[in-house]
Amino acid sequence: MCVTCGCGEDDASIEGVAARHEHDHVHGHSHDHEHGYHNVSGHSHAQEVTPSRKVQIEQDILAKNKAYAHANRRYLAERGVFALNLVSSPGSGKTSLLCKTIAMLDQQSVTVIEGDQQTSQDAERIRATGAQAVQINTGKGCHLDAHMVGHAMDELKLTKASLLMIENVGNLVCPAAFDLGEAHKVVVLSVTEGEDKPIKYPDMFRAASLMLLNKVDLLPHLSYDVDAAIAYARRVNPAIKVIQISATSGVGMDEWLAFLREGMAQAQAI
Ligand code: MG
């Protein structure tokens, strides 16, 4: 269950296999614990949810997620993997940007976890570039959580000193609350959206280290105010780094790749 909107995630699956199937995996947790997870979500109990109980449920869910995120982060650190969590509205161009990024980097060094409610279209697009990808379908869920990502990492062969890109479900609300074990959240805002998204969805822009202002090749056709979008983002997060980018024209790709290479070098050095 999502702490923000109350959506369910019991029907989440990875490459068509239920995410909650019983098996041992690298994170060493038993799914026996998941019974508690189900219970706190309220799916198994016809219990009235009072405001104080709701706060308790939220705290329990986020505490469990934090523990899984910690395990993911440790697993990634042991392998020197630089992991990013890409978040945005639907249609911001995340998958196209990933395909372009993989084409410009060595595809062997990039691994992708794709999150969508349904279909494996995006994972197939990534695999077509030659990079390894695994698809998580969240079903009714509106975000990835650290537990699902841990399972997806089990399915992947993460090579040492590689880059893991996690493309979250298109949603500027709920993914803000869930740490997946990534080094940074990267928020993608396209110029076909409103400039004021950062102040409408401040939690996400506050949680991100980097904003990719995407599809800037379309600016000549739009009355989009780039300075206003950046000012709004900095109003909620003065430290946010901004790169203006286009997978189509290639503008900003060098700066983005430099950010990735620096992060990969730092992850290896730890
Ligand atoms: Mg996508």
Side-chain angles (χ1 to χ4, degrees):
M1 188 184 105
C2 175
V3 292
T4 306
C5 70
C7 71
E9 39 113 15
D10 286 353
D11 53 350
S13 64
I14 296 168
E15 298 286 320
V17 179
R20 294 184 182 283
H21 60 286
E22 299 291 333
H23 70 263
D24 292 330
H25 60 96
V26 291
H27 307 294
H29 69 261
S30 154
H31 280 221
D32 293 345
H33 300 306
E34 298 318 308
H35 297 301
Y37 200 86
H38 281 293
N39 286 347
V40 294
S41 75
H43 294 300
S44 319
H45 291 262
Q47 183 174 356
E48 191 184 341
V49 181
T50 61
S52 66
R53 168 130 182 92
K54 188 161 181 268
V55 168
Q56 186 60 50
I57 289 169
E58 289 182 359
Q59 287 173 349
D60 288 350
I61 289 170
L62 288 176
K64 284 189 168 69
N65 186 73
K66 193 174 171 187
Y68 287 127
H70 180 72
N72 290 351
R73 190 164 279 117
R74 194 175 52 217
Y75 179 82
L76 292 163
E78 283 165 5
R79 286 156 182 79
V81 175
F82 183 51
L84 295 177
N85 177 3
L86 274 80
V87 290
S88 78
S89 308
S92 66
K94 294 187 297 302
T95 313
S96 298
L97 200 54
L98 282 179
C99 289
K100 179 81 172 181
T101 303
I102 293 163
M104 294 179 76
L105 285 170
D106 167 18
Q107 74 261 37
Q108 300 305 320
S109 64
V110 188
T111 304
V112 178
I113 295 174
E114 282 289 341
D116 284 297
Q117 287 195 314
Q118 301 288 341
T119 86
S120 55
Q121 309 254 79
D122 283 2
E124 285 158 19
R125 284 176 66 191
I126 297 295
R127 286 184 198 119
T129 68
Q132 223 193 143
V134 68
Q135 181 79 49
I136 300 176
N137 285 135
T138 57
K140 291 186 178 63
C142 60
H143 63 276
L144 295 175
D145 67 29
H147 181 236
M148 297 173 196
V149 168
H151 276 285
M153 290 196 304
D154 287 341
E155 304 294 322
L156 294 164
K157 290 174 185 61
L158 288 177
T159 51
K160 283 215 174 272
S162 61
L163 173 65
L164 172 64
M165 304 277 237
I166 306 166
E167 182 182 336
N168 218 314
V169 179
N171 175 357
L172 279 176
V173 184
C174 309
F178 288 84
D179 180 7
L180 305 179
E182 72 275 359
H184 302 286
K185 283 187 176 69
V186 175
V187 63
V188 183
L189 177 66
S190 71
V191 298
T192 51
E193 304 172 59
E195 296 96 340
D196 54 358
K197 283 258 175 93
I199 53 169
K200 287 179 171 172
Y201 304 97
D203 289 348
M204 186 60 87
F205 288 82
R206 210 171 279 130
S209 312
L210 170 65
M211 175 170 93
L212 297 177
L213 190 62
N214 197 23
K215 307 189 189 179
V216 292
D217 57 297
L218 297 177
L219 283 172
H221 311 286
L222 304 167
S223 57
Y224 191 85
D225 188 338
V226 168
D227 292 341
I230 295 171
Y232 283 136
R234 296 229 160 101
R235 189 191 294 180
V236 298
N237 181 357
I240 198 165
K241 180 179 167 68
V242 179
I243 299 175
Q244 297 182 44
I245 198 164
S246 164
T248 305
S249 70
V251 167
M253 289 301 296
D254 286 348
E255 199 181 345
W256 166 231
L257 293 185
F259 173 85
L260 296 175
R261 289 193 176 108
E262 190 189 330
M264 290 169 76
Q266 281 177 7
Q268 282 178 60
I270 293 168

